[in-house]
Coordinates of all heavy atoms in Angstrom, one line a residue:
M1029 N 3.0 -14.4 2.9 CA 2.5 -13.1 2.8 C 3.6 -12.3 2.2 O 4.9 -12.5 2.5 CB 2.1 -12.5 4.1 CG 1.0 -13.3 4.8 SD -0.6 -13.0 4.0 CE -1.1 -11.5 4.7
R1030 N 3.4 -11.3 1.4 CA 4.4 -10.3 0.9 C 3.9 -8.9 1.0 O 2.6 -8.7 1.0 CB 4.7 -10.7 -0.5 CG 3.6 -10.5 -1.5 CD 3.9 -11.1 -2.8 NE 4.6 -10.2 -3.7 CZ 4.8 -10.4 -5.0 NH1 4.3 -11.5 -5.5 NH2 5.3 -9.5 -5.7
A1031 N 4.8 -8.0 1.3 CA 4.4 -6.6 1.4 C 4.4 -6.0 0.1 O 5.3 -6.2 -0.8 CB 5.4 -5.9 2.3
V1032 N 3.4 -5.1 -0.1 CA 3.3 -4.3 -1.4 C 3.0 -2.9 -0.9 O 2.2 -2.6 -0.1 CB 2.1 -4.8 -2.2 CG1 1.9 -3.9 -3.4 CG2 2.3 -6.2 -2.7
F1033 N 3.8 -1.9 -1.5 CA 3.6 -0.5 -1.1 C 3.0 0.2 -2.3 O 3.4 -0.1 -3.5 CB 5.0 0.1 -0.9 CG 5.7 -0.4 0.4 CD1 6.5 -1.5 0.4 CD2 5.4 0.3 1.6 CE1 7.0 -2.0 1.5 CE2 6.0 -0.2 2.8 CZ 6.9 -1.3 2.7
V1034 N 2.0 1.0 -2.0 CA 1.3 1.7 -3.1 C 1.3 3.2 -2.7 O 0.8 3.6 -1.7 CB -0.2 1.2 -3.3 CG1 -0.8 2.0 -4.5 CG2 -0.2 -0.3 -3.6
M1035 N 1.9 4.0 -3.7 CA 1.8 5.4 -3.5 C 0.5 5.9 -4.2 O 0.2 5.4 -5.3 CB 3.0 6.1 -4.2 CG 4.3 5.6 -3.4 SD 5.8 6.1 -4.3 CE 5.8 7.9 -4.2
I1036 N -0.2 6.8 -3.5 CA -1.6 7.2 -4.0 C -1.6 8.7 -4.2 O -1.3 9.4 -3.3 CB -2.6 6.7 -3.0 CG1 -2.5 5.2 -2.8 CG2 -4.0 7.1 -3.5 CD1 -3.4 4.7 -1.6
K1037 N -2.1 9.1 -5.4 CA -2.3 10.5 -5.6 C -3.8 10.7 -5.6 O -4.6 10.0 -6.2 CB -1.8 10.9 -7.0 CG -1.9 12.3 -7.3 CD -1.3 12.7 -8.7 CE 0.2 12.3 -8.8 NZ 0.8 12.8 -9.9
C1038 N -4.2 11.7 -4.8 CA -5.7 12.0 -4.6 C -6.1 13.2 -5.2 O -5.3 14.1 -5.6 CB -5.9 12.0 -3.0 SG -5.3 10.6 -2.1
E1039 N -7.4 13.4 -5.3 CA -8.0 14.6 -5.7 C -7.7 15.7 -4.6 O -7.5 15.3 -3.5 CB -9.5 14.5 -5.8 CG -10.0 13.7 -6.9 CD -9.8 14.2 -8.3 OE1 -9.5 15.4 -8.5 OE2 -9.8 13.4 -9.2
L1040 N -7.5 16.9 -5.1 CA -7.1 18.0 -4.1 C -8.0 18.0 -2.9 O -9.2 18.0 -3.0 CB -7.1 19.4 -4.8 CG -6.1 19.6 -5.8 CD1 -6.3 20.9 -6.5 CD2 -4.7 19.5 -5.3
G1041 N -7.4 18.0 -1.7 CA -8.1 18.1 -0.5 C -8.8 16.8 0.0 O -9.5 16.9 1.0
K1042 N -8.5 15.7 -0.6 CA -9.1 14.5 -0.3 C -8.3 13.4 0.3 O -8.7 12.3 0.5 CB -9.9 13.9 -1.5 CG -10.9 14.8 -2.1 CD -12.1 15.0 -1.2 CE -13.1 15.8 -1.8 NZ -14.3 15.9 -1.0
A1043 N -7.0 13.7 0.6 CA -6.1 12.6 1.1 C -6.6 12.0 2.3 O -6.5 10.7 2.5 CB -4.7 13.2 1.2
Y1044 N -7.0 12.7 3.3 CA -7.4 12.1 4.5 C -8.7 11.3 4.4 O -8.8 10.2 5.0 CB -7.6 13.2 5.6 CG -6.3 13.7 6.2 CD1 -5.4 14.4 5.4 CD2 -6.1 13.6 7.6 CE1 -4.2 14.9 6.0 CE2 -4.9 14.0 8.1 CZ -3.9 14.7 7.3 OH -2.8 15.1 7.8
Q1045 N -9.6 11.7 3.5 CA -10.7 10.9 3.3 C -10.4 9.6 2.6 O -10.9 8.5 3.0 CB -11.8 11.7 2.5 CG -12.5 12.8 3.2 CD -11.7 14.1 3.0 OE1 -10.6 14.2 2.8 NE2 -12.5 15.2 3.2
V1046 N -9.5 9.6 1.6 CA -9.0 8.4 1.0 C -8.3 7.5 2.0 O -8.6 6.3 2.0 CB -8.1 8.7 -0.2 CG1 -7.4 7.5 -0.8 CG2 -8.8 9.5 -1.3
A1047 N -7.5 8.0 2.8 CA -6.8 7.2 3.8 C -7.8 6.5 4.8 O -7.7 5.3 5.1 CB -5.8 8.1 4.6
E1048 N -8.8 7.3 5.2 CA -9.8 6.7 6.2 C -10.6 5.6 5.5 O -10.8 4.6 6.1 CB -10.7 7.9 6.7 CG -10.0 8.8 7.6 CD -10.8 10.1 7.9 OE1 -11.9 10.2 7.3 OE2 -10.3 10.9 8.6
R1049 N -11.0 5.9 4.2 CA -11.7 4.9 3.5 C -10.9 3.6 3.2 O -11.4 2.5 3.4 CB -12.3 5.4 2.3 CG -13.3 4.6 1.6 CD -14.1 5.4 0.6 NE -15.4 5.0 0.8 CZ -16.4 5.6 0.2 NH1 -16.3 6.7 -0.3 NH2 -17.6 5.1 0.3
A1050 N -9.6 3.8 2.9 CA -8.7 2.6 2.7 C -8.7 1.7 4.0 O -8.7 0.5 3.9 CB -7.4 3.1 2.2
V1051 N -8.5 2.4 5.1 CA -8.4 1.6 6.3 C -9.7 0.9 6.7 O -9.7 -0.3 7.1 CB -8.0 2.5 7.5 CG1 -8.2 1.9 8.9 CG2 -6.6 3.1 7.4
E1052 N -10.8 1.5 6.4 CA -12.1 0.8 6.6 C -12.4 -0.2 5.6 O -13.1 -1.3 6.0 CB -13.2 2.0 6.5 CG -13.2 3.0 7.6 CD -14.2 4.1 7.3 OE1 -14.9 4.1 6.2 OE2 -14.2 5.1 8.1
E1053 N -12.0 -0.2 4.4 CA -12.5 -1.0 3.4 C -11.5 -2.1 2.9 O -11.9 -3.1 2.3 CB -13.0 -0.2 2.2 CG -14.2 0.6 2.4 CD -14.7 1.4 1.2 OE1 -14.3 1.1 0.1 OE2 -15.5 2.3 1.4
I1054 N -10.2 -2.0 3.1 CA -9.2 -2.9 2.5 C -8.6 -3.6 3.7 O -7.8 -3.1 4.4 CB -8.2 -2.2 1.7 CG1 -8.9 -1.3 0.5 CG2 -7.2 -3.2 1.1 CD1 -7.9 -0.5 -0.2
E1055 N -9.0 -4.9 3.8 CA -8.5 -5.7 5.0 C -7.0 -6.0 5.0 O -6.4 -6.2 6.0 CB -9.3 -7.0 5.1 CG -9.0 -8.0 4.0 CD -9.8 -9.2 4.2 OE1 -11.1 -9.1 4.2 OE2 -9.2 -10.3 4.4
Q1056 N -6.4 -5.9 3.8 CA -5.0 -6.2 3.7 C -4.1 -5.1 4.0 O -2.9 -5.2 4.0 CB -4.7 -6.7 2.2 CG -5.3 -8.0 1.7 CD -6.7 -7.7 1.1 OE1 -7.3 -6.7 1.3 NE2 -7.2 -8.7 0.4
I1057 N -4.7 -3.9 4.3 CA -3.8 -2.7 4.7 C -3.1 -2.9 6.0 O -3.8 -3.4 7.0 CB -4.6 -1.4 4.6 CG1 -3.8 -0.2 4.5 CG2 -5.6 -1.3 5.8 CD1 -4.5 1.0 4.0
S1058 N -1.9 -2.6 6.1 CA -1.1 -2.6 7.3 C -1.0 -1.3 7.9 O -1.3 -1.1 9.2 CB 0.3 -3.2 7.0 OG 1.1 -3.1 8.1
E1059 N -0.7 -0.3 7.1 CA -0.5 1.1 7.5 C -0.6 2.0 6.3 O -0.4 1.6 5.2 CB 0.8 1.3 8.4 CG 2.0 0.7 7.7 CD 3.1 0.4 8.7 OE1 3.8 1.3 9.1 OE2 3.2 -0.8 9.0
I1060 N -0.9 3.3 6.6 CA -1.0 4.2 5.5 C -0.5 5.6 6.1 O -0.8 5.9 7.3 CB -2.4 4.4 4.9 CG1 -2.4 5.2 3.7 CG2 -3.4 4.8 6.0 CD1 -3.7 5.1 2.8
Y1061 N 0.4 6.3 5.3 CA 1.0 7.5 5.7 C 0.6 8.6 4.7 O 0.6 8.5 3.6 CB 2.5 7.4 5.8 CG 3.0 6.4 6.7 CD1 3.2 5.0 6.3 CD2 3.3 6.7 8.0 CE1 3.7 4.1 7.2 CE2 3.8 5.7 8.9 CZ 4.0 4.4 8.5 OH 4.5 3.5 9.3
S1062 N 0.4 9.9 5.3 CA 0.4 11.0 4.4 C 1.8 11.4 4.1 O 2.7 11.2 4.9 CB -0.4 12.2 5.1 OG 0.2 12.5 6.3
T1063 N 2.0 11.9 2.9 CA 3.4 12.2 2.4 C 3.5 13.5 1.7 O 2.4 14.0 1.4 CB 3.9 11.1 1.5 OG1 3.1 11.0 0.3 CG2 4.0 9.7 2.1
S1064 N 4.6 14.0 1.4 CA 4.8 15.2 0.6 C 5.4 14.7 -0.7 O 5.9 13.6 -0.9 CB 5.7 16.2 1.3 OG 7.0 15.6 1.4
G1065 N 5.3 15.6 -1.7 CA 5.8 15.2 -3.0 C 4.8 15.0 -4.0 O 3.6 15.4 -3.9
S1066 N 5.1 14.1 -5.0 CA 4.2 13.9 -6.1 C 2.9 13.1 -5.7 O 1.9 13.1 -6.4 CB 4.9 13.1 -7.3 OG 6.0 13.9 -7.7
Y1067 N 3.0 12.3 -4.7 CA 1.9 11.5 -4.2 C 1.5 11.9 -2.8 O 2.3 12.4 -2.0 CB 2.3 10.0 -4.2 CG 2.4 9.5 -5.6 CD1 3.6 9.6 -6.4 CD2 1.3 8.8 -6.3 CE1 3.7 9.2 -7.7 CE2 1.4 8.4 -7.6 CZ 2.5 8.6 -8.3 OH 2.6 8.1 -9.6
D1068 N 0.3 11.7 -2.5 CA -0.3 12.2 -1.2 C -0.2 11.1 -0.1 O -0.2 11.5 1.1 CB -1.8 12.5 -1.4 CG -1.9 13.6 -2.5 OD1 -1.3 14.7 -2.3 OD2 -2.6 13.3 -3.5
L1069 N -0.3 9.9 -0.4 CA -0.3 8.8 0.6 C 0.6 7.7 0.2 O 0.9 7.5 -1.0 CB -1.7 8.2 0.7 CG -2.9 9.2 1.0 CD1 -4.2 8.5 0.9 CD2 -2.7 9.6 2.5
L1070 N 1.2 7.0 1.2 CA 1.9 5.8 1.0 C 1.3 4.7 1.8 O 1.2 4.8 3.1 CB 3.4 6.0 1.4 CG 4.2 4.7 1.4 CD1 4.4 4.1 -0.1 CD2 5.6 5.0 2.0
A1071 N 0.8 3.6 1.2 CA 0.1 2.6 1.9 C 0.9 1.3 1.8 O 1.5 0.9 0.8 CB -1.3 2.3 1.3
K1072 N 0.9 0.5 2.9 CA 1.6 -0.8 3.0 C 0.4 -1.8 3.1 O -0.3 -1.8 4.0 CB 2.5 -0.9 4.1 CG 3.3 -2.1 4.3 CD 4.2 -2.0 5.4 CE 5.0 -3.3 5.6 NZ 5.9 -3.2 6.8
F1073 N 0.5 -2.8 2.2 CA -0.4 -3.9 2.2 C 0.3 -5.2 2.4 O 1.4 -5.3 1.9 CB -1.3 -4.0 0.9 CG -2.0 -2.7 0.7 CD1 -1.5 -1.7 -0.2 CD2 -3.3 -2.5 1.2 CE1 -2.2 -0.6 -0.4 CE2 -4.0 -1.4 0.9 CZ -3.5 -0.4 0.1
Y1074 N -0.3 -6.2 3.0 CA 0.2 -7.5 3.0 C -0.7 -8.4 2.3 O -1.9 -8.5 2.6 CB 0.4 -8.1 4.5 CG 1.6 -7.5 5.1 CD1 1.6 -6.5 6.1 CD2 2.9 -8.0 4.8 CE1 2.7 -6.1 6.7 CE2 4.0 -7.6 5.4 CZ 3.9 -6.6 6.4 OH 5.1 -6.0 7.0
V1075 N -0.3 -9.0 1.2 CA -1.2 -9.8 0.4 C -0.6 -11.3 0.4 O 0.6 -11.5 0.6 CB -1.3 -9.4 -1.1 CG1 -1.9 -7.9 -1.1 CG2 0.1 -9.3 -1.8
D1076 N -1.5 -12.2 0.2 CA -1.1 -13.6 0.2 C -0.2 -13.9 -1.0 O -0.3 -13.3 -2.1 CB -2.3 -14.5 0.0 CG -3.2 -14.5 1.3 OD1 -2.6 -14.4 2.4 OD2 -4.4 -14.7 1.1
D1077 N 0.8 -14.8 -0.9 CA 1.6 -15.2 -1.9 C 0.7 -15.7 -3.1 O -0.3 -16.4 -2.8 CB 2.6 -16.4 -1.5 CG 3.6 -15.9 -0.5 OD1 4.0 -14.7 -0.5 OD2 4.0 -16.7 0.3
G1078 N 1.0 -15.4 -4.3 CA 0.2 -15.9 -5.4 C -0.9 -14.9 -5.7 O -1.6 -15.0 -6.7
T1079 N -1.1 -13.9 -4.9 CA -2.1 -12.8 -5.2 C -1.7 -12.1 -6.5 O -0.5 -11.7 -6.6 CB -2.2 -11.9 -4.1 OG1 -2.8 -12.5 -2.9 CG2 -3.2 -10.7 -4.4
D1080 N -2.6 -11.8 -7.3 CA -2.3 -11.0 -8.6 C -2.3 -9.6 -8.1 O -3.3 -8.9 -7.8 CB -3.4 -11.2 -9.6 CG -3.2 -10.5 -10.8 OD1 -2.6 -9.3 -10.8 OD2 -3.7 -10.9 -11.9
V1081 N -1.1 -9.0 -7.9 CA -0.9 -7.6 -7.3 C -1.6 -6.6 -8.2 O -2.2 -5.7 -7.7 CB 0.5 -7.3 -7.1 CG1 0.7 -5.9 -6.6 CG2 1.1 -8.3 -6.0
G1082 N -1.5 -6.7 -9.5 CA -2.1 -5.8 -10.4 C -3.6 -5.7 -10.3 O -4.2 -4.7 -10.2
R1083 N -4.2 -6.9 -10.2 CA -5.7 -7.0 -10.0 C -6.0 -6.4 -8.6 O -7.0 -5.7 -8.4 CB -6.2 -8.4 -10.1 CG -7.6 -8.6 -9.9 CD -8.1 -10.0 -10.1 NE -7.8 -10.5 -11.5 CZ -8.7 -10.4 -12.5 NH1 -9.8 -9.8 -12.4 NH2 -8.3 -10.9 -13.7
F1084 N -5.2 -6.7 -7.5 CA -5.5 -6.2 -6.2 C -5.5 -4.7 -6.2 O -6.4 -4.0 -5.7 CB -4.5 -6.7 -5.2 CG -4.5 -6.0 -3.9 CD1 -5.5 -6.4 -3.0 CD2 -3.6 -5.0 -3.5 CE1 -5.5 -5.8 -1.7 CE2 -3.7 -4.4 -2.3 CZ -4.7 -4.8 -1.4
V1085 N -4.5 -4.1 -6.8 CA -4.4 -2.6 -6.8 C -5.5 -2.0 -7.7 O -6.1 -1.0 -7.2 CB -3.0 -2.2 -7.4 CG1 -2.9 -0.6 -7.6 CG2 -1.9 -2.6 -6.4
T1086 N -5.8 -2.6 -8.8 CA -6.8 -1.9 -9.7 C -8.2 -2.1 -9.2 O -9.0 -1.2 -9.4 CB -6.7 -2.5 -11.1 OG1 -6.9 -3.9 -11.1 CG2 -5.4 -2.1 -11.8
E1087 N -8.4 -3.2 -8.4 CA -9.8 -3.4 -7.9 C -10.0 -2.9 -6.5 O -11.1 -2.5 -6.2 CB -10.1 -4.9 -7.9 CG -10.2 -5.5 -9.4 CD -10.5 -7.0 -9.4 OE1 -10.6 -7.6 -8.4 OE2 -10.7 -7.5 -10.6
K1088 N -9.0 -2.9 -5.7 CA -9.2 -2.5 -4.3 C -8.8 -1.0 -4.0 O -9.4 -0.3 -3.3 CB -8.4 -3.4 -3.4 CG -8.8 -4.8 -3.4 CD -10.1 -5.0 -2.7 CE -10.3 -6.5 -2.6 NZ -11.5 -6.9 -1.7
V1089 N -7.6 -0.6 -4.6 CA -7.0 0.7 -4.3 C -7.5 1.8 -5.3 O -8.0 2.9 -4.9 CB -5.5 0.7 -4.3 CG1 -4.9 2.1 -3.9 CG2 -5.1 -0.4 -3.3
Q1090 N -7.4 1.5 -6.6 CA -7.7 2.5 -7.6 C -9.2 2.9 -7.7 O -9.5 3.9 -8.2 CB -7.2 2.1 -9.0 CG -5.7 2.1 -9.1 CD -5.2 1.6 -10.4 OE1 -6.0 1.1 -11.2 NE2 -3.9 1.8 -10.7
T1091 N -10.0 1.9 -7.1 CA -11.5 2.2 -7.2 C -12.0 3.0 -6.0 O -13.2 3.3 -6.0 CB -12.2 0.9 -7.3 OG1 -11.8 0.1 -6.2 CG2 -11.9 0.2 -8.6
L1092 N -11.1 3.3 -5.1 CA -11.5 4.2 -3.9 C -11.9 5.6 -4.5 O -11.2 6.0 -5.3 CB -10.4 4.3 -2.9 CG -10.1 3.0 -2.1 CD1 -8.8 3.3 -1.3 CD2 -11.2 2.7 -1.2
P1093 N -13.0 6.1 -4.0 CA -13.3 7.5 -4.5 C -12.2 8.4 -4.2 O -11.5 8.4 -3.2 CB -14.6 7.8 -3.6 CG -15.1 6.5 -3.2 CD -14.0 5.6 -3.0
D1094 N -12.0 9.4 -5.2 CA -11.0 10.4 -5.1 C -9.6 10.0 -5.3 O -8.7 10.8 -5.1 CB -11.2 11.3 -3.8 CG -12.6 11.9 -3.7 OD1 -13.0 12.5 -4.8 OD2 -13.2 11.8 -2.7
V1095 N -9.3 8.8 -5.7 CA -7.9 8.4 -6.1 C -7.8 8.7 -7.5 O -8.5 8.3 -8.4 CB -7.8 6.8 -5.9 CG1 -6.4 6.3 -6.5 CG2 -7.8 6.5 -4.4
K1096 N -6.7 9.5 -7.8 CA -6.4 9.9 -9.2 C -5.4 9.0 -9.9 O -5.4 8.8 -11.1 CB -5.8 11.3 -9.2 CG -6.9 12.4 -8.9 CD -6.3 13.8 -8.9 CE -5.6 14.1 -10.0 NZ -5.0 15.5 -10.0
D1097 N -4.4 8.5 -9.1 CA -3.3 7.8 -9.7 C -2.6 6.9 -8.6 O -2.7 7.2 -7.4 CB -2.3 8.7 -10.3 CG -1.2 8.1 -11.1 OD1 -1.4 6.9 -11.6 OD2 -0.2 8.7 -11.3
T1098 N -1.9 5.9 -9.0 CA -1.2 5.0 -8.1 C 0.2 4.7 -8.7 O 0.3 4.7 -9.9 CB -1.9 3.7 -7.7 OG1 -2.1 2.9 -8.9 CG2 -3.2 4.0 -7.0
F1099 N 1.1 4.4 -7.9 CA 2.4 3.9 -8.2 C 2.7 2.7 -7.2 O 2.8 2.9 -6.0 CB 3.5 4.9 -8.1 CG 4.8 4.5 -8.6 CD1 5.2 4.6 -9.9 CD2 5.8 4.1 -7.7 CE1 6.4 4.2 -10.4 CE2 7.1 3.7 -8.1 CZ 7.4 3.7 -9.4
T1100 N 2.9 1.5 -7.7 CA 3.1 0.3 -7.0 C 4.5 -0.1 -6.8 O 5.2 -0.2 -7.9 CB 2.2 -0.8 -7.5 OG1 0.8 -0.4 -7.6 CG2 2.3 -2.1 -6.6
L1101 N 5.0 -0.5 -5.7 CA 6.3 -1.1 -5.4 C 6.1 -2.4 -4.9 O 5.5 -2.6 -3.8 CB 7.1 -0.1 -4.4 CG 7.3 1.3 -4.9 CD1 7.8 2.1 -3.6 CD2 8.3 1.3 -6.0
I1102 N 6.6 -3.4 -5.5 CA 6.6 -4.8 -5.1 C 7.9 -5.1 -4.4 O 9.0 -4.8 -4.9 CB 6.3 -5.7 -6.2 CG1 5.0 -5.4 -6.9 CG2 6.4 -7.2 -5.8 CD1 4.8 -6.2 -8.2
T1103 N 7.8 -5.8 -3.2 CA 9.0 -6.0 -2.5 C 9.6 -7.4 -2.7 O 8.8 -8.3 -3.1 CB 8.7 -5.8 -0.9 OG1 7.7 -6.7 -0.5 CG2 8.2 -4.4 -0.7
F1104 N 10.8 -7.6 -2.3 CA 11.5 -8.9 -2.4 C 11.8 -9.5 -1.1 O 11.4 -10.5 -0.7 CB 12.7 -8.8 -3.4 CG 12.4 -8.3 -4.7 CD1 12.8 -7.1 -5.1 CD2 11.7 -9.1 -5.6 CE1 12.5 -6.6 -6.4 CE2 11.4 -8.7 -6.9 CZ 11.8 -7.4 -7.3
N1105 N 12.7 -8.7 -0.3 CA 13.1 -9.2 1.0 C 13.0 -8.1 2.0 O 13.1 -6.9 1.7 CB 14.6 -9.6 0.9 CG 14.9 -10.8 0.2 OD1 14.2 -11.8 0.4 ND2 15.8 -10.7 -0.8
A1106 N 12.7 -8.4 3.3 CA 12.7 -7.5 4.4 C 14.0 -7.6 5.1 O 14.4 -8.8 5.5 CB 11.5 -7.8 5.2
F1107 N 14.7 -6.5 5.4 CA 15.9 -6.5 6.2 C 15.6 -5.8 7.5 O 15.3 -4.7 7.6 CB 17.0 -5.8 5.4 CG 17.3 -6.4 4.1 CD1 16.7 -6.0 3.0 CD2 18.3 -7.5 4.1 CE1 17.0 -6.6 1.7 CE2 18.6 -8.1 2.8 CZ 17.9 -7.6 1.7
T1108 N 15.8 -6.6 8.6 CA 15.4 -6.2 9.9 C 16.5 -6.5 10.9 O 17.4 -7.4 10.6 CB 14.1 -6.9 10.4 OG1 14.4 -8.3 10.5 CG2 13.0 -6.6 9.5
P1109 N 16.6 -5.8 12.0 CA 17.6 -6.0 13.0 C 17.6 -7.4 13.6 O 18.5 -8.1 13.9 CB 17.4 -5.0 14.1 CG 16.6 -4.0 13.5 CD 15.8 -4.6 12.4
D1110 N 16.3 -8.0 13.7 CA 16.1 -9.3 14.2 C 15.6 -10.2 13.1 O 14.7 -9.8 12.3 CB 15.1 -9.3 15.4 CG 15.6 -8.5 16.5 OD1 16.8 -8.6 16.8 OD2 14.8 -7.7 17.1
K1111 N 16.0 -11.4 13.1 CA 15.4 -12.4 12.1 C 14.0 -12.6 12.3 O 13.5 -12.7 13.5 CB 16.2 -13.8 12.3 CG 15.7 -14.8 11.4 CD 16.4 -14.7 10.0 CE 16.0 -15.9 9.2 NZ 16.0 -15.6 7.8
N1112 N 13.2 -12.6 11.3 CA 11.8 -12.8 11.4 C 11.2 -13.6 10.2 O 12.0 -13.6 9.2 CB 11.0 -11.5 11.6 CG 11.2 -10.5 10.4 OD1 11.1 -10.9 9.2 ND2 11.4 -9.2 10.7
P1113 N 10.1 -14.2 10.2 CA 9.6 -15.0 9.1 C 9.5 -14.1 7.9 O 9.0 -13.0 7.8 CB 8.2 -15.3 9.5 CG 8.2 -15.3 11.0 CD 9.2 -14.2 11.3
G1114 N 10.1 -14.6 6.8 CA 10.2 -13.8 5.6 C 11.2 -12.8 5.5 O 11.4 -12.1 4.4
G1115 N 11.9 -12.5 6.5 CA 12.9 -11.5 6.6 C 14.3 -12.0 6.6 O 14.6 -13.2 6.7
T1116 N 15.2 -11.2 6.4 CA 16.7 -11.5 6.4 C 17.4 -10.7 7.4 O 17.2 -9.4 7.4 CB 17.3 -11.3 4.9 OG1 16.5 -12.0 4.0 CG2 18.7 -11.7 4.9
R1117 N 18.2 -11.3 8.2 CA 19.0 -10.5 9.2 C 20.1 -9.8 8.5 O 20.8 -10.3 7.6 CB 19.6 -11.5 10.2 CG 20.3 -10.8 11.3 CD 20.6 -11.7 12.5 NE 21.5 -11.0 13.5 CZ 21.1 -10.0 14.3 NH1 19.9 -9.6 14.3 NH2 22.0 -9.6 15.1
I1118 N 20.4 -8.5 8.9 CA 21.4 -7.8 8.4 C 22.8 -8.3 9.0 O 22.9 -8.4 10.2 CB 21.3 -6.3 8.7 CG1 20.0 -5.8 7.9 CG2 22.5 -5.5 8.2 CD1 19.6 -4.3 8.4
A1119 N 23.7 -8.6 8.2 CA 25.0 -9.1 8.7 C 25.9 -8.0 9.1 O 25.9 -6.9 8.6 CB 25.7 -9.9 7.6

């Protein structure tokens, strides 16, 4: 599994509805936050290795009603205080 972060820009006044719908409809979602700045939401997804991230974002996230734009961050390593599967311990 790998983590993918997607920043989501919504139609005005629709961020909470988009967040609720994402939680209801996208099983790969781990968490979603409301944010300030250029984007309204930051969502964290866990997708299977080998998943076409572009297809996942365009078919699952961008098609949610009231989503205007997305910006995707693909992760490489997780750095945590404790060693965990897929993560790296900070030295």
Side-chain angles (χ1 to χ4, degrees):
M1029 298 290 273
R1030 67 194 269 189
V1032 176
F1033 292 87
V1034 180
M1035 298 169 65
I1036 304 168
K1037 189 178 294 187
C1038 305
E1039 295 291 341
L1040 291 176
K1042 299 294 183 173
Y1044 281 64
Q1045 290 91 334
V1046 170
E1048 291 168 0
R1049 191 162 220 165
V1051 169
E1052 292 170 359
E1053 296 183 10
I1054 305 174
E1055 68 181 63
Q1056 295 89 341
I1057 199 163
S1058 169
E1059 47 206 283
I1060 189 165
Y1061 298 92
S1062 57
T1063 61
S1064 63
S1066 297
Y1067 289 84
D1068 303 301
L1069 300 169
L1070 174 63
K1072 181 179 181 182
F1073 301 95
Y1074 283 103
V1075 297
D1076 292 327
D1077 293 333
T1079 296
D1080 182 332
V1081 174
R1083 184 177 295 271
F1084 171 79
V1085 172
T1086 58
E1087 292 179 358
K1088 300 282 188 173
V1089 182
Q1090 291 179 348
T1091 58
L1092 291 170
D1094 299 314
V1095 169
K1096 288 176 55 174
D1097 191 18
T1098 61
F1099 183 85
T1100 303
L1101 300 166
I1102 298 171
T1103 63
F1104 301 110
N1105 292 309
F1107 299 92
T1108 62
D1110 298 318
K1111 179 79 173 156
N1112 60 45
T1116 303
R1117 182 165 172 75
I1118 298 172

